mmCIF file of all heavy atoms in Angstrom:
data_model
loop_
_atom_site.group_PDB
_atom_site.id
_atom_site.type_symbol
_atom_site.label_atom_id
_atom_site.label_comp_id
_atom_site.label_asym_id
_atom_site.label_seq_id
_atom_site.Cartn_x
_atom_site.Cartn_y
_atom_site.Cartn_z
ATOM 1 N N LEU A 1 81.145 95.659 93.922
ATOM 2 C CA LEU A 1 80.063 96.531 94.368
ATOM 3 C C LEU A 1 79.441 97.254 93.179
ATOM 4 O O LEU A 1 80.131 97.595 92.213
ATOM 5 C CB LEU A 1 80.579 97.547 95.398
ATOM 6 C CG LEU A 1 81.092 96.951 96.724
ATOM 7 C CD1 LEU A 1 81.598 98.053 97.635
ATOM 8 C CD2 LEU A 1 80.000 96.153 97.420
ATOM 9 N N PHE A 2 78.133 97.528 93.306
ATOM 10 C CA PHE A 2 77.372 98.069 92.193
ATOM 11 C C PHE A 2 76.578 99.297 92.628
ATOM 12 O O PHE A 2 76.212 99.438 93.797
ATOM 13 C CB PHE A 2 76.403 97.021 91.641
ATOM 14 C CG PHE A 2 77.061 95.769 91.139
ATOM 15 C CD1 PHE A 2 77.389 94.744 92.013
ATOM 16 C CD2 PHE A 2 77.370 95.626 89.799
ATOM 17 C CE1 PHE A 2 78.005 93.588 91.560
ATOM 18 C CE2 PHE A 2 77.983 94.485 89.334
ATOM 19 C CZ PHE A 2 78.305 93.463 90.214
ATOM 20 N N GLN A 3 76.298 100.154 91.631
ATOM 21 C CA GLN A 3 75.383 101.276 91.817
ATOM 22 C C GLN A 3 74.385 101.279 90.676
ATOM 23 O O GLN A 3 74.760 101.178 89.506
ATOM 24 C CB GLN A 3 76.103 102.620 91.827
ATOM 25 C CG GLN A 3 75.157 103.807 92.004
ATOM 26 C CD GLN A 3 75.670 105.087 91.366
ATOM 27 O OE1 GLN A 3 76.737 105.103 90.771
ATOM 28 N NE2 GLN A 3 74.899 106.151 91.476
ATOM 29 N N LEU A 4 73.095 101.371 90.994
ATOM 30 C CA LEU A 4 72.053 101.504 89.973
ATOM 31 C C LEU A 4 71.593 102.954 89.928
ATOM 32 O O LEU A 4 71.398 103.589 90.971
ATOM 33 C CB LEU A 4 70.864 100.590 90.292
ATOM 34 C CG LEU A 4 69.680 100.704 89.324
ATOM 35 C CD1 LEU A 4 70.080 100.221 87.932
ATOM 36 C CD2 LEU A 4 68.488 99.910 89.832
ATOM 37 N N LEU A 5 71.417 103.471 88.719
ATOM 38 C CA LEU A 5 70.967 104.851 88.552
ATOM 39 C C LEU A 5 69.869 104.891 87.501
ATOM 40 O O LEU A 5 69.976 104.252 86.452
ATOM 41 C CB LEU A 5 72.125 105.751 88.124
ATOM 42 C CG LEU A 5 71.850 107.265 88.155
ATOM 43 C CD1 LEU A 5 71.650 107.724 89.582
ATOM 44 C CD2 LEU A 5 72.999 108.024 87.511
ATOM 45 N N THR A 6 68.780 105.621 87.785
ATOM 46 C CA THR A 6 67.705 105.849 86.830
ATOM 47 C C THR A 6 67.444 107.350 86.738
ATOM 48 O O THR A 6 68.071 108.149 87.441
ATOM 49 C CB THR A 6 66.415 105.119 87.251
ATOM 50 O OG1 THR A 6 65.933 105.690 88.481
ATOM 51 C CG2 THR A 6 66.667 103.631 87.446
ATOM 52 N N ASN A 7 66.502 107.751 85.913
ATOM 53 C CA ASN A 7 66.175 109.171 85.777
ATOM 54 C C ASN A 7 65.558 109.747 87.044
ATOM 55 O O ASN A 7 65.514 110.974 87.207
ATOM 56 C CB ASN A 7 65.216 109.371 84.606
ATOM 57 C CG ASN A 7 65.884 109.127 83.268
ATOM 58 O OD1 ASN A 7 67.084 109.349 83.120
ATOM 59 N ND2 ASN A 7 65.133 108.660 82.288
ATOM 60 N N ASP A 8 65.069 108.889 87.942
ATOM 61 C CA ASP A 8 64.448 109.380 89.173
ATOM 62 C C ASP A 8 65.472 109.912 90.167
ATOM 63 O O ASP A 8 65.105 110.673 91.074
ATOM 64 C CB ASP A 8 63.635 108.258 89.831
ATOM 65 C CG ASP A 8 62.524 107.756 88.925
ATOM 66 O OD1 ASP A 8 61.818 108.605 88.358
ATOM 67 O OD2 ASP A 8 62.374 106.536 88.781
ATOM 68 N N PHE A 9 66.753 109.487 90.043
ATOM 69 C CA PHE A 9 67.779 109.853 91.020
ATOM 70 C C PHE A 9 67.305 109.540 92.443
ATOM 71 O O PHE A 9 67.409 110.371 93.353
ATOM 72 C CB PHE A 9 68.159 111.323 90.894
ATOM 73 C CG PHE A 9 69.096 111.624 89.748
ATOM 74 C CD1 PHE A 9 69.435 110.645 88.826
ATOM 75 C CD2 PHE A 9 69.620 112.883 89.569
ATOM 76 C CE1 PHE A 9 70.285 110.910 87.765
ATOM 77 C CE2 PHE A 9 70.482 113.163 88.510
ATOM 78 C CZ PHE A 9 70.810 112.174 87.611
ATOM 79 N N SER A 10 66.740 108.357 92.604
ATOM 80 C CA SER A 10 66.181 107.953 93.888
ATOM 81 C C SER A 10 67.263 107.909 94.966
ATOM 82 O O SER A 10 68.419 107.571 94.693
ATOM 83 C CB SER A 10 65.523 106.575 93.748
ATOM 84 O OG SER A 10 65.067 106.104 94.989
ATOM 85 N N GLY A 11 66.876 108.222 96.201
ATOM 86 C CA GLY A 11 67.837 108.247 97.299
ATOM 87 C C GLY A 11 68.463 106.898 97.578
ATOM 88 O O GLY A 11 69.645 106.812 97.931
ATOM 89 N N LYS A 12 67.695 105.818 97.401
ATOM 90 C CA LYS A 12 68.237 104.489 97.698
ATOM 91 C C LYS A 12 69.290 104.063 96.689
ATOM 92 O O LYS A 12 70.029 103.100 96.921
ATOM 93 C CB LYS A 12 67.111 103.460 97.744
ATOM 94 C CG LYS A 12 66.415 103.224 96.412
ATOM 95 C CD LYS A 12 65.312 102.186 96.553
ATOM 96 C CE LYS A 12 64.622 101.919 95.220
ATOM 97 N NZ LYS A 12 63.540 100.903 95.354
ATOM 98 N N HIS A 13 69.370 104.761 95.565
ATOM 99 C CA HIS A 13 70.357 104.434 94.542
ATOM 100 C C HIS A 13 71.645 105.226 94.710
ATOM 101 O O HIS A 13 72.553 105.074 93.894
ATOM 102 C CB HIS A 13 69.786 104.688 93.144
ATOM 103 C CG HIS A 13 68.645 103.802 92.793
ATOM 104 N ND1 HIS A 13 67.735 104.105 91.786
ATOM 105 C CD2 HIS A 13 68.241 102.616 93.314
ATOM 106 C CE1 HIS A 13 66.836 103.141 91.713
ATOM 107 N NE2 HIS A 13 67.111 102.238 92.620
ATOM 108 N N GLN A 14 71.737 106.052 95.729
ATOM 109 C CA GLN A 14 72.896 106.913 95.908
ATOM 110 C C GLN A 14 73.969 106.240 96.756
ATOM 111 O O GLN A 14 74.662 106.882 97.545
ATOM 112 C CB GLN A 14 72.488 108.254 96.538
ATOM 113 C CG GLN A 14 71.352 108.957 95.841
ATOM 114 C CD GLN A 14 71.620 109.207 94.380
ATOM 115 O OE1 GLN A 14 72.687 109.700 94.020
ATOM 116 N NE2 GLN A 14 70.671 108.869 93.520
ATOM 117 N N ARG A 15 74.125 104.929 96.608
ATOM 118 C CA ARG A 15 75.137 104.199 97.368
ATOM 119 C C ARG A 15 75.506 102.932 96.609
ATOM 120 O O ARG A 15 74.809 102.505 95.704
ATOM 121 C CB ARG A 15 74.621 103.839 98.762
ATOM 122 C CG ARG A 15 73.369 102.982 98.754
ATOM 123 C CD ARG A 15 72.776 102.833 100.147
ATOM 124 N NE ARG A 15 71.556 102.042 100.148
ATOM 125 C CZ ARG A 15 71.516 100.737 100.332
ATOM 126 N NH1 ARG A 15 72.660 100.072 100.553
ATOM 127 N NH2 ARG A 15 70.374 100.074 100.303
ATOM 128 N N LEU A 16 76.626 102.345 97.012
ATOM 129 C CA LEU A 16 77.094 101.107 96.417
ATOM 130 C C LEU A 16 76.528 99.921 97.184
ATOM 131 O O LEU A 16 76.487 99.929 98.416
ATOM 132 C CB LEU A 16 78.623 101.062 96.429
ATOM 133 C CG LEU A 16 79.315 102.124 95.565
ATOM 134 C CD1 LEU A 16 80.807 102.160 95.861
ATOM 135 C CD2 LEU A 16 79.092 101.848 94.092
ATOM 136 N N VAL A 17 76.077 98.889 96.449
ATOM 137 C CA VAL A 17 75.461 97.718 97.066
ATOM 138 C C VAL A 17 76.090 96.466 96.469
ATOM 139 O O VAL A 17 76.806 96.514 95.462
ATOM 140 C CB VAL A 17 73.933 97.713 96.835
ATOM 141 C CG1 VAL A 17 73.282 98.926 97.486
ATOM 142 C CG2 VAL A 17 73.607 97.688 95.340
ATOM 143 N N ASN A 18 75.813 95.321 97.095
ATOM 144 C CA ASN A 18 76.326 94.062 96.565
ATOM 145 C C ASN A 18 75.476 93.593 95.379
ATOM 146 O O ASN A 18 74.457 94.200 95.048
ATOM 147 C CB ASN A 18 76.392 92.999 97.670
ATOM 148 C CG ASN A 18 75.030 92.748 98.300
ATOM 149 O OD1 ASN A 18 73.986 92.880 97.659
ATOM 150 N ND2 ASN A 18 75.026 92.397 99.571
ATOM 151 N N LYS A 19 75.896 92.500 94.782
ATOM 152 C CA LYS A 19 75.244 92.028 93.569
ATOM 153 C C LYS A 19 73.782 91.660 93.826
ATOM 154 O O LYS A 19 72.891 92.002 93.033
ATOM 155 C CB LYS A 19 75.985 90.822 92.998
ATOM 156 C CG LYS A 19 75.383 90.297 91.695
ATOM 157 C CD LYS A 19 75.985 88.975 91.277
ATOM 158 C CE LYS A 19 77.434 89.110 90.898
ATOM 159 N NZ LYS A 19 77.960 87.845 90.290
ATOM 160 N N GLU A 20 73.497 90.976 94.922
ATOM 161 C CA GLU A 20 72.131 90.537 95.205
ATOM 162 C C GLU A 20 71.179 91.714 95.374
ATOM 163 O O GLU A 20 70.079 91.732 94.821
ATOM 164 C CB GLU A 20 72.133 89.662 96.460
ATOM 165 C CG GLU A 20 70.770 89.092 96.813
ATOM 166 C CD GLU A 20 70.832 88.197 98.039
ATOM 167 O OE1 GLU A 20 71.946 87.916 98.527
ATOM 168 O OE2 GLU A 20 69.756 87.778 98.510
ATOM 169 N N GLU A 21 71.612 92.726 96.118
ATOM 170 C CA GLU A 21 70.761 93.900 96.328
ATOM 171 C C GLU A 21 70.619 94.700 95.035
ATOM 172 O O GLU A 21 69.560 95.266 94.756
ATOM 173 C CB GLU A 21 71.347 94.774 97.438
ATOM 174 C CG GLU A 21 70.421 95.883 97.899
ATOM 175 C CD GLU A 21 70.956 96.627 99.111
ATOM 176 O OE1 GLU A 21 72.048 96.252 99.591
ATOM 177 O OE2 GLU A 21 70.287 97.580 99.568
ATOM 178 N N PHE A 22 71.676 94.724 94.245
ATOM 179 C CA PHE A 22 71.633 95.439 92.967
ATOM 180 C C PHE A 22 70.585 94.826 92.034
ATOM 181 O O PHE A 22 69.800 95.543 91.413
ATOM 182 C CB PHE A 22 73.016 95.390 92.321
ATOM 183 C CG PHE A 22 73.079 95.965 90.931
ATOM 184 C CD1 PHE A 22 73.066 97.331 90.724
ATOM 185 C CD2 PHE A 22 73.147 95.124 89.824
ATOM 186 C CE1 PHE A 22 73.118 97.850 89.448
ATOM 187 C CE2 PHE A 22 73.206 95.638 88.547
ATOM 188 C CZ PHE A 22 73.190 97.011 88.364
ATOM 189 N N ILE A 23 70.539 93.508 91.945
ATOM 190 C CA ILE A 23 69.548 92.847 91.094
ATOM 191 C C ILE A 23 68.137 93.101 91.605
ATOM 192 O O ILE A 23 67.195 93.267 90.823
ATOM 193 C CB ILE A 23 69.861 91.340 91.016
ATOM 194 C CG1 ILE A 23 71.193 91.127 90.279
ATOM 195 C CG2 ILE A 23 68.739 90.579 90.312
ATOM 196 C CD1 ILE A 23 71.641 89.692 90.214
ATOM 197 N N ALA A 24 67.966 93.165 92.936
ATOM 198 C CA ALA A 24 66.649 93.490 93.492
ATOM 199 C C ALA A 24 66.234 94.905 93.111
ATOM 200 O O ALA A 24 65.055 95.163 92.827
ATOM 201 C CB ALA A 24 66.680 93.327 95.012
ATOM 202 N N PHE A 25 67.182 95.844 93.072
ATOM 203 C CA PHE A 25 66.885 97.208 92.641
ATOM 204 C C PHE A 25 66.425 97.230 91.178
ATOM 205 O O PHE A 25 65.521 97.984 90.807
ATOM 206 C CB PHE A 25 68.113 98.106 92.801
ATOM 207 C CG PHE A 25 68.369 98.555 94.216
ATOM 208 C CD1 PHE A 25 69.565 99.167 94.555
ATOM 209 C CD2 PHE A 25 67.427 98.364 95.207
ATOM 210 C CE1 PHE A 25 69.812 99.597 95.851
ATOM 211 C CE2 PHE A 25 67.656 98.783 96.505
ATOM 212 C CZ PHE A 25 68.852 99.401 96.827
ATOM 213 N N ILE A 26 67.052 96.408 90.345
ATOM 214 C CA ILE A 26 66.695 96.373 88.915
ATOM 215 C C ILE A 26 65.238 95.971 88.743
ATOM 216 O O ILE A 26 64.509 96.534 87.917
ATOM 217 C CB ILE A 26 67.625 95.401 88.163
ATOM 218 C CG1 ILE A 26 69.055 95.936 88.164
ATOM 219 C CG2 ILE A 26 67.136 95.188 86.734
ATOM 220 C CD1 ILE A 26 70.056 94.986 87.545
ATOM 221 N N ASP A 27 64.780 94.995 89.529
ATOM 222 C CA ASP A 27 63.406 94.504 89.406
ATOM 223 C C ASP A 27 62.384 95.595 89.716
ATOM 224 O O ASP A 27 61.245 95.532 89.249
ATOM 225 C CB ASP A 27 63.193 93.307 90.329
ATOM 226 C CG ASP A 27 64.046 92.117 89.930
ATOM 227 O OD1 ASP A 27 64.423 92.037 88.752
ATOM 228 O OD2 ASP A 27 64.357 91.277 90.806
ATOM 229 N N ASP A 28 62.758 96.601 90.503
ATOM 230 C CA ASP A 28 61.823 97.651 90.925
ATOM 231 C C ASP A 28 61.755 98.827 89.958
ATOM 232 O O ASP A 28 60.972 99.753 90.172
ATOM 233 C CB ASP A 28 62.206 98.174 92.317
ATOM 234 C CG ASP A 28 62.045 97.108 93.383
ATOM 235 O OD1 ASP A 28 61.237 96.189 93.177
ATOM 236 O OD2 ASP A 28 62.746 97.184 94.422
ATOM 237 N N VAL A 29 62.571 98.850 88.908
ATOM 238 C CA VAL A 29 62.610 99.992 87.991
ATOM 239 C C VAL A 29 61.330 100.041 87.168
ATOM 240 O O VAL A 29 60.912 99.049 86.577
ATOM 241 C CB VAL A 29 63.841 99.907 87.065
ATOM 242 C CG1 VAL A 29 63.818 101.051 86.048
ATOM 243 C CG2 VAL A 29 65.124 99.958 87.886
ATOM 244 N N LYS A 30 60.696 101.215 87.126
ATOM 245 C CA LYS A 30 59.456 101.423 86.365
ATOM 246 C C LYS A 30 59.621 102.654 85.461
ATOM 247 O O LYS A 30 60.517 103.479 85.658
ATOM 248 C CB LYS A 30 58.265 101.636 87.314
ATOM 249 C CG LYS A 30 57.995 100.472 88.268
ATOM 250 C CD LYS A 30 57.468 99.265 87.538
ATOM 251 C CE LYS A 30 57.001 98.183 88.507
ATOM 252 N NZ LYS A 30 58.078 97.671 89.375
ATOM 253 N N ILE A 31 58.733 102.770 84.479
ATOM 254 C CA ILE A 31 58.717 103.954 83.614
ATOM 255 C C ILE A 31 58.454 105.201 84.452
ATOM 256 O O ILE A 31 57.596 105.190 85.350
ATOM 257 C CB ILE A 31 57.645 103.805 82.522
ATOM 258 C CG1 ILE A 31 58.063 102.734 81.508
ATOM 259 C CG2 ILE A 31 57.398 105.122 81.806
ATOM 260 C CD1 ILE A 31 59.239 103.130 80.643
ATOM 261 N N SER A 32 59.170 106.284 84.162
ATOM 262 C CA SER A 32 59.062 107.510 84.946
ATOM 263 C C SER A 32 58.923 108.721 84.014
ATOM 264 O O SER A 32 59.483 108.722 82.908
ATOM 265 C CB SER A 32 60.302 107.679 85.832
ATOM 266 O OG SER A 32 60.336 108.964 86.415
ATOM 267 N N PRO A 33 58.209 109.763 84.436
ATOM 268 C CA PRO A 33 58.118 110.983 83.615
ATOM 269 C C PRO A 33 59.398 111.809 83.625
ATOM 270 O O PRO A 33 59.545 112.737 82.829
ATOM 271 C CB PRO A 33 56.958 111.751 84.265
ATOM 272 C CG PRO A 33 56.945 111.281 85.687
ATOM 273 C CD PRO A 33 57.359 109.838 85.643
ATOM 274 N N ALA A 34 60.333 111.495 84.522
ATOM 275 C CA ALA A 34 61.577 112.261 84.616
ATOM 276 C C ALA A 34 62.484 111.958 83.429
ATOM 277 O O ALA A 34 62.458 110.860 82.870
ATOM 278 C CB ALA A 34 62.296 111.942 85.923
ATOM 279 N N SER A 35 63.287 112.929 83.042
ATOM 280 C CA SER A 35 64.278 112.752 81.979
ATOM 281 C C SER A 35 65.552 113.487 82.383
ATOM 282 O O SER A 35 65.499 114.509 83.080
ATOM 283 C CB SER A 35 63.756 113.266 80.637
ATOM 284 O OG SER A 35 63.480 114.656 80.714
ATOM 285 N N ARG A 36 66.682 112.961 81.968
ATOM 286 C CA ARG A 36 67.984 113.529 82.321
ATOM 287 C C ARG A 36 68.855 113.658 81.086
ATOM 288 O O ARG A 36 68.634 112.990 80.080
ATOM 289 C CB ARG A 36 68.701 112.642 83.352
ATOM 290 C CG ARG A 36 67.908 112.349 84.609
ATOM 291 C CD ARG A 36 67.812 113.548 85.516
ATOM 292 N NE ARG A 36 67.001 113.233 86.704
ATOM 293 C CZ ARG A 36 66.741 114.106 87.679
ATOM 294 N NH1 ARG A 36 67.222 115.330 87.600
ATOM 295 N NH2 ARG A 36 65.989 113.748 88.702
ATOM 296 N N LYS A 37 69.877 114.505 81.208
ATOM 297 C CA LYS A 37 70.861 114.662 80.150
ATOM 298 C C LYS A 37 72.145 113.931 80.560
ATOM 299 O O LYS A 37 72.409 113.711 81.738
ATOM 300 C CB LYS A 37 71.135 116.141 79.872
ATOM 301 C CG LYS A 37 69.910 116.885 79.344
ATOM 302 C CD LYS A 37 70.248 118.302 78.943
ATOM 303 C CE LYS A 37 69.029 119.042 78.410
ATOM 304 N NZ LYS A 37 68.457 118.391 77.220
ATOM 305 N N TRP A 38 72.937 113.574 79.541
ATOM 306 C CA TRP A 38 74.140 112.783 79.810
ATOM 307 C C TRP A 38 75.087 113.444 80.804
ATOM 308 O O TRP A 38 75.617 112.752 81.679
ATOM 309 C CB TRP A 38 74.864 112.496 78.495
ATOM 310 C CG TRP A 38 74.205 111.501 77.609
ATOM 311 C CD1 TRP A 38 73.843 111.663 76.309
ATOM 312 C CD2 TRP A 38 73.812 110.152 77.941
ATOM 313 N NE1 TRP A 38 73.245 110.532 75.811
ATOM 314 C CE2 TRP A 38 73.222 109.585 76.801
ATOM 315 C CE3 TRP A 38 73.899 109.391 79.096
ATOM 316 C CZ2 TRP A 38 72.726 108.293 76.771
ATOM 317 C CZ3 TRP A 38 73.396 108.087 79.079
ATOM 318 C CH2 TRP A 38 72.837 107.560 77.926
ATOM 319 N N PRO A 39 75.381 114.744 80.726
ATOM 320 C CA PRO A 39 76.333 115.326 81.683
ATOM 321 C C PRO A 39 75.910 115.151 83.144
ATOM 322 O O PRO A 39 76.747 114.818 83.998
ATOM 323 C CB PRO A 39 76.376 116.810 81.275
ATOM 324 C CG PRO A 39 76.022 116.808 79.826
ATOM 325 C CD PRO A 39 75.001 115.726 79.671
ATOM 326 N N GLU A 40 74.632 115.355 83.472
ATOM 327 C CA GLU A 40 74.227 115.207 84.867
ATOM 328 C C GLU A 40 74.199 113.737 85.287
ATOM 329 O O GLU A 40 74.448 113.420 86.453
ATOM 330 C CB GLU A 40 72.867 115.871 85.112
ATOM 331 C CG GLU A 40 71.717 115.350 84.259
ATOM 332 C CD GLU A 40 70.413 116.076 84.574
ATOM 333 O OE1 GLU A 40 70.199 116.436 85.751
ATOM 334 O OE2 GLU A 40 69.614 116.279 83.644
ATOM 335 N N ILE A 41 73.926 112.819 84.355
ATOM 336 C CA ILE A 41 73.983 111.392 84.672
ATOM 337 C C ILE A 41 75.423 110.992 84.978
ATOM 338 O O ILE A 41 75.705 110.312 85.971
ATOM 339 C CB ILE A 41 73.420 110.560 83.511
ATOM 340 C CG1 ILE A 41 71.923 110.833 83.346
ATOM 341 C CG2 ILE A 41 73.662 109.069 83.736
ATOM 342 C CD1 ILE A 41 71.334 110.269 82.064
ATOM 343 N N GLN A 42 76.363 111.428 84.131
ATOM 344 C CA GLN A 42 77.766 111.089 84.346
ATOM 345 C C GLN A 42 78.302 111.702 85.633
ATOM 346 O O GLN A 42 79.093 111.076 86.342
ATOM 347 C CB GLN A 42 78.591 111.555 83.149
ATOM 348 C CG GLN A 42 78.327 110.760 81.867
ATOM 349 C CD GLN A 42 79.227 111.206 80.736
ATOM 350 O OE1 GLN A 42 78.891 112.136 80.010
ATOM 351 N NE2 GLN A 42 80.358 110.554 80.576
ATOM 352 N N LYS A 43 77.867 112.910 85.945
ATOM 353 C CA LYS A 43 78.324 113.554 87.183
ATOM 354 C C LYS A 43 77.816 112.797 88.403
ATOM 355 O O LYS A 43 78.550 112.599 89.378
ATOM 356 C CB LYS A 43 77.841 115.001 87.224
ATOM 357 C CG LYS A 43 78.337 115.775 88.441
ATOM 358 C CD LYS A 43 77.865 117.207 88.411
ATOM 359 C CE LYS A 43 78.447 117.992 89.588
ATOM 360 N NZ LYS A 43 78.123 117.396 90.894
#
């Protein structure tokens, strides 16, 4: 099972998915104005 995380902290990324759905999530990632720091990403 996989989890994808970006700076957007999108709601659909707040769960574990299978490999096929995870790759589909990767294709949808776009440049975002949001920025995060390592501690909040790790948390």
Side-chain angles (χ1 to χ4, degrees):
L1 296 179
F2 300 84
Q3 179 208 1
L4 177 66
L5 190 67
T6 65
N7 290 330
D8 299 314
F9 282 7
S10 175
K12 66 180 181 180
H13 295 160
Q14 309 304 312
R15 59 189 179 92
L16 295 169
V17 298
N18 58 30
K19 182 190 293 189
E20 183 178 353
E21 190 173 359
F22 174 76
I23 294 177
F25 282 168
I26 294 175
D27 295 336
D28 295 335
V29 176
K30 300 290 189 299
I31 290 291
S32 169
S35 61
R36 305 287 178 180
K37 296 186 180 300
W38 287 125
E40 58 180 325
I41 294 169
Q42 291 183 273
K43 183 178 184 303

